[in-house]
Amino acid sequence: MYVAVKGGQQAIANAHKLSAEERRGNPDVPEIGVDQIDQQLSIAVDRVMTEGSLYDRQLAALAIKQARGDMIEAIFLVRASRTTLPRFGYSVPMETSDMAIRRRISATFKDIPGGQVLGPTFDYQHRLIDPALAEGGAPEPAETAPADVDAQSPKVLGLLGQEGLMEAAGDGDDDAEIGDLTRDPLDFPADRDLRLQNLVRGDEGFILSLGYSTQRGYARGHAFAGEIRMGEVAVSFVPEELGFEIEIGEVALTECEMVTQFKGSSKVPPQFTRGYGLAFGQCERKAMSMALVDRALRAGELGEDRVAPAQDEEFVMSHSDSVEATGFVEHLKLPHYVDFQAELELVRRMRAEAEGKQAGTGEAAE
Amino acid sequence: MTATGPLPGYNFAYLNEQTKRMIRRALLKAVAIPGYQVPFASREMPMPYGWGTGGMQVTASILMPDDTLKVIDQGADDTTNAVSIRNFFAKTAAVETTTATAQASVIQTRHRIPEEPLREDQILVYQVPIPEPLRFLEPRETETRKMHALSEYGLMHVKLYEDIARYGHIATTYAYPVEVDGRYVMDPSPTPKFDNPKMDDCAALQLFGAGREKRIYAIPPYTKVISLDFDDYPFEVQTWEEACGLCGARDSYLDEVILDDRGGRLFCCSDTDFCEKRRAMGYRGAMSGEPQEAAE
């Protein structure tokens, strides 16, 4: 007569099997390969690597396959795998000015040394669904750039800096230790290094909306896309036992530097200020949004009033991480009957008391 | 670091030794300052945040190969998440597991403290969602840390007082705040206040892990833990008119199970091990389907 309402080992095992079956879908349809995801859903892979904080295309592609295309679930899988990896050390700071450029644009100058390179972008495409794509087939070969653009493509914001109109990038202290919120617990107020790390790992949708809110008057400051560049950058590492720098590979990056006019404050003269965004692969939307939010979060440092959510580092940093957010929202599926029982008892008691009071006043009136 | 755990490719109890060392340092600090929330560099676990990642990291860091682990959720060993966490450690640490409170050396729990008194050779690990007792009064961490530093707990007493003014009693039924060792106000995790008295002067070490919020705190054995109250409105625990329908217990926390759509209810012990042990000893409740013990 007592029905076992509490869950069972068997139920869990069965649910896992069913989920695996659903992932595979109709067995008559060929199974998707990790290489196909890597090559043909490459921007999804980029996002999983960026928010998963791990540069490994094959692992990210496998995570997407395992997660059935659920991006946050895939990011979660990558993060959980990353956790188990021992830390050898930190790379030498990367030189994004030495990027092998695939895309580079500036919205602040019509022409820039090195030129504007559109590269592989959705921009200026008419978003019309292409029925021919359903059939597949090889795309038309693309033209190749006539010249090597890499060597003479200095940072656009650096050009403004020469006139003294642009603040310096960072505080210039190269020896300052960089924080790492995957190694040390977050403490408020947080410095910009930690804020940037948090934003890179943060959910693209959340950062996008926050960035958008700054454009709509919540922490208003009109930003310009000073430069967006995408391409490959070499990663170097100094192994302790060698004591000198060796190049260990390259990663694809999208970097965005936003420029915002700043009227000056008691601390800082009028000038242009920076917002910085960086992401693995081709995550341009993320890099741009991140740059907007980074600039908004610098309110304290620049002596601006904090009036909007995007300027509030505790609010932004505590809620940006999709893995944290999804875990806690979805934990509401877990049983809570012990607490609910306590609430039931309380509400019953309060109702009984309220009814008692009502009955009491009713009698008095009669 | 070589992987030396029973699960190929992973260290014993999943976390690598660097991470465990970091967590153990936080645990030592937490034990040294009872009730103080120690920030720690919480790691992603292969379970979602909010599903016990803090407790799991603590358990993974303290677990030894000869430990016997018990995992409960809502007091029960057979709730889905408890099953899942127990399986995780059975797989990654190959430790012995048990459902018997008395046989466990480490007990990881969500929302309950076992009814059976704990011993000095046991450790109770709590999963904590929101470690900050002041969080719902003040959302900012910068503010709440200052309040703890200054022992500025007036806001909490005002909240409890307002409850009394409005409802005639304190309307907090779980996650009921406690004062630890005469200093820090602490969130006991969302255990029902019924369990608060068990924390006081407890023989076992009590460790609390909040993964998403990146905090660890502790109550060392035999520490004074007082539930906040007022002289004229002393702290009280929940009581039931009913006894457990299965074992007849009158002194345990009861779950309410809806049996049908005609108002049929069964009240039964939330602590399944406690209930089973009593039934094994011959105690019977009104709805056990067997004749009741005359004594009950």
Side-chain angles (χ1 to χ4, degrees):
Chain A
M1 67 128 291
Y2 170 53
V3 195
V5 287
K6 291 172 178 176
Q9 199 131 0
Q10 196 54 44
I12 295 180
N14 289 343
H16 291 172
K17 277 191 216 158
L18 183 59
S19 174
E21 214 173 87
E22 296 271 316
R23 177 188 56 69
R24 178 60 185 86
N26 184 346
D28 296 338
V29 177
E31 184 165 348
I32 193 167
V34 170
D35 285 347
Q36 289 170 316
I37 295 171
D38 173 16
Q39 291 299 309
Q40 297 173 39
L41 298 177
S42 57
I43 293 180
V45 171
D46 291 342
R47 177 171 173 198
V48 170
M49 293 196 303
T50 298
E51 293 176 38
S53 283
L54 188 70
Y55 197 89
D56 185 334
R57 296 200 70 83
Q58 288 288 308
L59 196 75
L62 179 58
I64 292 169
K65 175 175 173 171
Q66 188 177 330
R68 298 162 61 190
D70 180 332
M71 297 299 279
I72 291 177
E73 182 68 24
I75 290 159
F76 178 15
L77 285 167
V78 167
R79 290 263 193 100
S81 170
R82 179 189 190 274
T83 277
T84 65
L85 304 175
R87 181 68 55 105
F88 296 119
Y90 294 86
S91 77
V92 175
M94 283 189 286
E95 234 10 290
T96 50
S97 50
D98 296 340
M99 178 182 278
I101 286 170
R102 279 196 277 156
R103 170 169 166 79
R104 181 208 188 207
I105 55 165
S106 171
T108 48
F109 297 101
K110 187 172 182 182
D111 201 6
I112 44 178
Q116 309 243 17
V117 181
L118 276 185
T121 177
F122 293 120
D123 296 350
Y124 314 111
Q125 283 186 23
H126 297 147
R127 268 46 165 230
L128 303 171
I129 293 228
D130 178 8
L133 193 60
E135 300 302 318
E140 252 182 78
E143 313 295 329
T144 49
D148 176 23
V149 291
D150 305 340
Q152 62 277 26
S153 296
K155 292 292 195 70
V156 174
L157 267 56
L159 303 174
L160 269 175
Q162 290 166 2
E163 253 185 278
L165 298 177
M166 171 60 62
E167 65 167 341
D171 54 12
D173 184 2
D174 286 343
D175 296 329
E177 205 172 312
I178 307 285
D180 182 349
L181 46 79
T182 71
R183 296 283 125 174
D184 299 303
L186 184 56
D187 200 7
F188 294 111
D191 286 336
R192 193 172 175 208
D193 51 347
L194 291 175
R195 296 201 303 256
L196 288 169
Q197 186 186 13
N198 176 280
L199 293 176
V200 180
R201 288 160 60 87
D203 181 70
E204 180 173 306
F206 180 74
I207 308 295
L208 171 69
S209 295
L210 279 175
Y212 176 47
S213 73
T214 69
Q215 295 180 281
R216 289 195 65 262
Y218 290 85
R220 183 162 180 79
H222 192 293
F224 299 88
E227 183 174 1
I228 297 167
R229 52 168 66 199
M230 189 266 290
E232 274 67 31
V233 182
V235 183
S236 295
F237 184 71
V238 181
E240 256 177 66
E241 51 272 49
L242 291 183
F244 56 84
E245 199 176 312
I246 50 169
E247 196 176 307
I248 53 172
E250 57 179 26
V251 295
L253 292 175
T254 300
E255 182 187 55
C256 172
E257 292 195 274
M258 289 282 183
V259 187
T260 306
Q261 191 242 79
F262 176 63
K263 291 192 172 61
S265 69
S266 54
K267 295 182 190 169
V268 189
Q271 60 181 328
F272 289 110
T273 52
R274 294 165 186 259
Y276 188 77
L278 188 74
F280 284 145
Q282 193 171 3
C283 289
E284 198 164 286
R285 180 187 304 120
K286 173 65 178 284
M288 293 179 73
S289 312
M290 176 180 164
L292 291 174
V293 180
D294 169 46
R295 175 59 188 83
L297 286 175
R298 295 181 59 205
E301 166 199 344
L302 294 166
E304 294 169 327
D305 288 337
R306 285 204 176 112
V307 291
Q311 294 171 309
D312 181 338
E313 65 178 31
E314 275 206 58
F315 178 79
V316 173
M317 296 179 74
S318 302
H319 303 110
S320 62
D321 194 284
S322 64
V323 179
E324 288 176 8
T326 199
F328 201 49
V329 167
E330 294 196 53
H331 108 286
L332 296 175
K333 291 182 281 194
L334 288 178
H336 281 82
Y337 23 80
V338 163
D339 294 346
F340 190 68
Q341 184 63 46
E343 293 285 74
L344 261 182
E345 190 263 349
L346 176 67
V347 172
R348 276 184 189 137
R349 185 146 55 101
M350 294 200 310
R351 278 181 68 96
E353 283 165 7
E355 276 161 23
K357 255 185 226 162
Q358 251 173 10
T361 52
E363 272 163 33
E366 280 163 15
Chain B
M1 186 126 345
T2 49
T4 53
L7 187 65
Y10 292 93
N11 194 31
F12 174 79
Y14 188 75
L15 293 175
N16 60 42
E17 293 301 317
Q18 296 162 307
T19 302
K20 287 186 193 173
R21 189 170 56 213
M22 174 273 293
I23 294 172
R24 287 179 194 139
R25 282 175 178 158
L27 287 169
L28 288 174
K29 183 167 180 182
V31 170
I33 318 172
Y36 170 74
Q37 300 168 54
V38 181
F40 81 112
S42 175
R43 299 289 195 258
E44 270 95 3
M45 294 297 282
M47 265 82 154
Y49 283 118
W51 297 54
T53 56
M56 286 172 73
Q57 289 180 73
V58 170
T59 299
S61 304
I62 62 170
L63 216 52
M64 303 292 280
D66 53 356
D67 268 319
T68 304
L69 178 69
K70 171 181 165 83
V71 183
I72 51 173
D73 184 350
Q74 314 292 302
D77 298 272
D78 59 354
T79 32
T80 42
N81 206 44
V83 169
S84 164
I85 292 173
R86 188 166 53 245
N87 285 350
F88 177 79
F89 284 114
K91 196 158 77 178
T92 59
V95 290
E96 211 173 304
T97 60
T98 183
T99 58
T101 301
Q103 280 166 26
S105 57
V106 176
I107 303 171
Q108 182 170 329
T109 181
R110 173 170 176 263
H111 292 197
R112 277 311 311 277
I113 300 174
E115 306 290 2
E116 196 174 325
L118 300 175
R119 300 183 312 261
E120 284 181 6
D121 59 346
Q122 294 179 306
I123 300 177
L124 185 59
V125 178
Y126 295 75
Q127 302 170 199
V128 181
I130 305 274
E132 179 49 73
L134 305 167
R135 179 60 69 238
F136 296 108
L137 306 172
E138 167 53 59
R140 274 175 204 285
E141 182 68 14
T142 34
E143 287 301 316
T144 52
R145 285 190 83 82
K146 217 178 292 168
M147 290 157 80
H148 283 294
L150 301 171
S151 297
E152 180 56 67
Y153 296 126
L155 205 56
M156 182 62 88
H157 282 102
V158 169
K159 191 259 168 200
L160 297 177
Y161 168 75
E162 282 178 349
D163 272 5
I164 293 170
R166 194 171 305 153
Y167 310 113
H169 48 78
I170 293 171
T172 299
T173 54
Y174 59 91
Y176 189 103
V178 293
E179 181 197 87
V180 181
D181 199 26
R183 175 59 179 86
Y184 285 98
V185 166
M186 190 197 89
D187 184 311
S189 88
T191 47
K193 65 178 179 178
F194 180 89
D195 286 337
N196 277 18
K198 296 179 192 160
M199 300 183 132
D200 180 36
D201 205 31
C202 176
L205 171 62
Q206 303 174 74
L207 303 175
F208 299 76
R212 189 179 39 79
E213 299 280 342
K214 303 170 180 60
R215 295 289 183 273
I216 280 173
Y217 51 101
I219 304 175
Y222 304 114
T223 300
K224 191 97 202 115
V225 178
I226 302 169
S227 301
L228 299 185
D229 63 357
F230 299 99
D231 289 345
D232 47 346
Y233 282 89
F235 173 79
E236 287 173 339
V237 300
Q238 291 101 333
T239 52
W240 282 260
E241 283 167 21
E242 299 81 0
C244 171
L246 302 178
C247 78
R250 291 199 162 273
D251 54 355
S252 75
Y253 192 88
L254 301 181
D255 278 347
E256 184 172 339
V257 181
I258 298 174
L259 298 176
D260 51 43
D261 56 4
R262 298 182 305 277
R265 297 273 193 279
L266 165 68
F267 287 86
C268 61
C269 294
S270 121
D271 184 336
T272 48
D273 174 59
F274 178 78
C275 195
E276 278 160 22
K277 209 167 165 184
R278 278 178 55 86
R279 276 179 280 156
M281 285 158 68
Y283 292 103
R284 291 290 179 270
M287 296 174 81
S288 61
E290 291 171 60
Q292 280 177 262
E293 287 284 298
E296 285 293 297

